Amino acid sequence: MNYITVVAASFEEAVFKAQQQYGSGIRVLSRKDITEKGFMGLGSKTKCELTCFLVNSESEEPEKKEPEPVKRNKPQPVTHEIDENLMRRFEREAMTPDPDGRLGGVVVEPEPVSESLPDDDVSDDAFPSIPTLNITLGSASASYSEKPSSLYENRYENKPDVVEQKKTQRVDELAEKAENILRLNDFSEKYVKWFLGEIRQQLEASLPDAPSNGEFEYIVLNKIVSSVSTDNSDRVNPPNLFALLGSAGSGKTTTIAKIAALYSQGEHPRKVRIVSIAQGQSNRDLTVRTGKAMSLAVSCLSEENEAYSAFRVGDGNDLIFIDTDAVHISSSLYEFRTFNLLNCCDKSNLKYFMTVPATMKSSDIEKVFEIFNAYHISGIIVTMSDMTTTMGNIISLCHEKKLPVIFIADGRRIPKDIHGASSSLLFGGLKGFSIDLSRALDR
């Protein structure tokens, strides 16, 4: 038995097509509706597939007739007039193969179709079997609002912008470089946190033109230098009453002798006097010996009535340097006696300065400042700078307390080993830079 498959837009057209091609001996064995999907789910079409066989010849291949060409001057609607009873019979045969229990059935003899089409104008209903696809902008937008296909999802969804990622990566690299420099020089955690916030903001503002490594080192150095001031006014024009505070072992007594000797010598020497209110006998003896060696007037006080006359300016004294009691880090309160004696001074001419060893840890410096909280400190004098290669702790302190550096001492010689604060002395020893710091600081 020879089986033939015919596909058309509808059941009626499929029956007509089968009879046209294979003649009147064709019979319907089964019917299947096929839905063809359009692009992206749009414009789907439904077709009818018929499986047929020939009742006249079971062994021979059916001779397929080639439909004769149809003259198409103008497209016209094609209609197939098939008897209603015969159509129902074909539908029944399509659902149940050979419903009559025999090979055969009613042969559908369609009426012949004219080979030529009329020359009338084509009407709007010329092709009723072709579906019309109407898509508005709103419906199209709605259909694409769902999750995209895996191809588009893999390429675009949740993927960061490559340019922005490179910018962020460059900022992170430079910020890490700056952090390494700061930690190499013992800067405090507070300073590191502040510095990285500032430098990141500066770098992000300069993008996409990120600096080179050499240029970035100049930026870091300039940021560190600008975070601390070196006060020249109190050094050039010191106050009449110059009180020095400091912790035990900070070199306070030696430093005050250096400063006093510095002002008593030179092209324009000043009349200088040292007043010690320290209680320790060893400190008093050291002050007296140093004063005599430098030909400086020295007084040691223990009572308030002595303080009023000793702190009086104008009795042959231009500058009075006051050496105070040293404070211990373990103490929680500075000696009330020292505070009481200093109240005897003319406070309009009095300023407090603090000696800080360059070797002291940031946490210990913080404790000393808590003890001296009652005093308004005007500046910092760095001591023992020759005993360390880093001064990040001092720079961190000055930045946090908003205090300038007045002097920097680097030895025990009087008065040679004390210098006015400068950028080269304070920042010249910074480590981790590949650029020439001496040239950079002289700019």
Side-chain angles (χ1 to χ4, degrees):
M1 181 181 295
N2 297 309
Y3 295 93
I4 302 98
T5 301
V6 180
V7 180
S10 64
F11 177 74
E12 293 84 353
E13 289 189 16
V15 172
F16 177 75
K17 184 177 179 181
Q19 292 179 347
Q20 281 288 98
Q21 293 181 1
Y22 301 104
S24 59
I26 198 73
R27 293 291 183 272
V28 177
L29 178 63
S30 64
R31 168 187 177 178
K32 181 167 69 174
D33 292 329
I34 304 172
T35 301
E36 293 183 352
K37 295 183 179 179
F39 177 71
M40 299 293 288
L42 301 176
S44 60
K45 298 179 181 180
T46 302
K47 293 185 178 182
C48 178
E49 179 183 291
L50 295 182
T51 302
C52 308
F53 61 89
L54 294 176
V55 297
N56 295 332
S57 177
E58 297 185 1
S59 60
E60 296 182 0
E61 182 72 15
E63 182 180 357
K64 185 174 180 180
K65 297 181 180 179
E66 293 294 332
E68 297 182 4
V70 181
K71 182 181 178 181
R72 297 185 179 276
N73 296 327
K74 292 182 180 180
Q76 292 292 330
V78 180
T79 59
H80 312 299
E81 297 181 4
I82 302 177
D83 185 83
E84 246 183 74
N85 295 327
L86 295 178
M87 183 58 63
R88 282 198 295 270
R89 175 64 180 271
F90 272 105
E91 289 177 350
R92 190 156 53 86
E93 289 181 349
M95 295 176 63
T96 306
D98 196 13
D100 296 328
R102 59 182 175 80
L103 293 178
V106 179
V107 179
V108 180
E109 296 289 342
E111 294 182 6
V113 180
S114 175
E115 294 184 356
S116 61
L117 299 176
D119 294 333
D120 298 335
D121 293 336
V122 179
S123 64
D124 293 336
D125 299 328
F127 300 95
S129 61
I130 301 176
T132 304
L133 181 62
N134 295 320
I135 301 177
T136 62
L137 182 59
S139 62
S141 299
S143 64
Y144 282 95
S145 65
E146 298 178 357
K147 188 176 181 180
S149 65
S150 59
L151 174 64
Y152 290 94
E153 181 179 0
N154 293 336
R155 291 181 60 188
Y156 300 108
E157 191 173 23
N158 298 326
K159 190 171 183 179
D161 184 82
V162 176
V163 177
E164 291 299 326
Q165 187 177 11
K166 288 184 178 180
K167 291 179 182 179
T168 304
Q169 183 179 359
R170 181 57 178 162
V171 171
D172 291 341
E173 290 175 357
L174 294 176
E176 184 179 0
K177 180 179 177 67
E179 183 177 1
N180 291 337
I181 291 175
L182 296 178
R183 297 197 182 282
L184 187 63
N185 291 280
D186 296 330
F187 283 84
S188 68
E189 289 297 326
K190 290 182 180 178
Y191 188 94
V192 171
K193 184 178 180 180
W194 166 82
F195 191 94
L196 292 180
E198 291 286 321
I199 208 70
R200 277 184 174 276
Q201 185 176 359
Q202 186 173 346
L203 288 173
E204 289 170 358
S206 67
L207 291 176
D209 300 326
S212 64
N213 289 336
E215 293 171 338
F216 182 66
E217 287 187 9
Y218 278 104
I219 294 174
V220 171
L221 180 62
N222 182 67
K223 194 71 176 177
I224 294 174
V225 172
S226 61
S227 68
V228 179
S229 64
T230 53
D231 186 8
N232 291 316
S233 60
D234 281 336
R235 186 172 67 249
V236 176
N237 298 304
N240 297 117
L241 297 172
F242 194 112
L244 205 58
L245 307 174
S247 62
S250 65
K252 176 174 55 62
T253 301
T254 304
T255 300
I256 203 167
K258 291 178 181 178
I259 298 174
L262 192 65
Y263 284 102
S264 65
Q265 301 175 4
E267 297 181 1
H268 305 284
R270 310 281 290 272
K271 293 181 179 180
V272 175
R273 183 175 183 177
I274 298 176
V275 177
S276 174
I277 60 175
Q279 285 185 311
Q281 188 62 42
S282 59
N283 288 339
R284 290 190 176 201
D285 292 342
L286 177 60
T287 303
V288 171
R289 289 197 304 271
T290 303
K292 288 182 178 181
M294 301 302 300
S295 301
L296 300 174
V298 179
S299 299
C300 296
L301 306 182
S302 57
E303 302 293 337
E304 290 185 24
N305 57 350
E306 299 174 339
Y308 286 107
S309 58
F311 293 149
R312 186 178 298 116
V313 179
D315 294 341
N317 302 309
D318 292 333
L319 300 175
I320 297 177
F321 294 92
I322 306 172
D323 185 17
T324 62
D325 274 324
V327 67
H328 294 275
I329 296 177
S330 59
S331 303
S332 59
L333 183 65
Y334 195 42
E335 290 288 342
F336 178 75
R337 172 184 167 277
T338 301
F339 186 80
N340 196 31
L341 287 173
L342 290 173
N343 278 336
C344 299
C345 299
D346 181 6
K347 294 185 178 180
S348 61
N349 292 321
L350 173 65
K351 281 189 177 183
Y352 299 99
F353 301 89
M354 182 174 172
T355 56
V356 180
T359 56
M360 182 176 281
K361 295 185 297 184
S362 297
S363 57
D364 293 338
I365 296 174
E366 190 67 31
K367 291 180 181 178
V368 174
F369 262 90
E370 290 178 1
I371 297 173
F372 288 121
N373 189 44
Y375 300 89
H376 181 71
I377 298 174
S378 298
I380 298 296
I381 299 173
V382 182
T383 62
M384 306 180 190
S385 64
D386 57 323
M387 299 179 67
T388 182
T389 58
T390 60
M391 282 201 287
N393 55 340
I394 302 297
I395 300 171
S396 301
L397 162 74
C398 294
H399 170 74
E400 182 181 347
K401 303 297 182 181
K402 302 295 186 294
L403 293 174
V405 179
I406 309 299
F407 291 100
I408 297 178
D410 55 3
R412 299 185 64 86
R413 294 179 299 175
I414 301 174
K416 292 184 178 180
D417 292 337
I418 191 164
H419 318 277
S422 65
S423 295
S424 59
L425 290 175
L426 194 58
F427 310 107
L430 290 173
K431 297 184 292 185
F433 289 89
S434 61
I435 59 175
D436 187 347
L437 292 182
S438 59
R439 293 183 59 184
L441 293 171
D442 288 341
R443 289 184 174 184

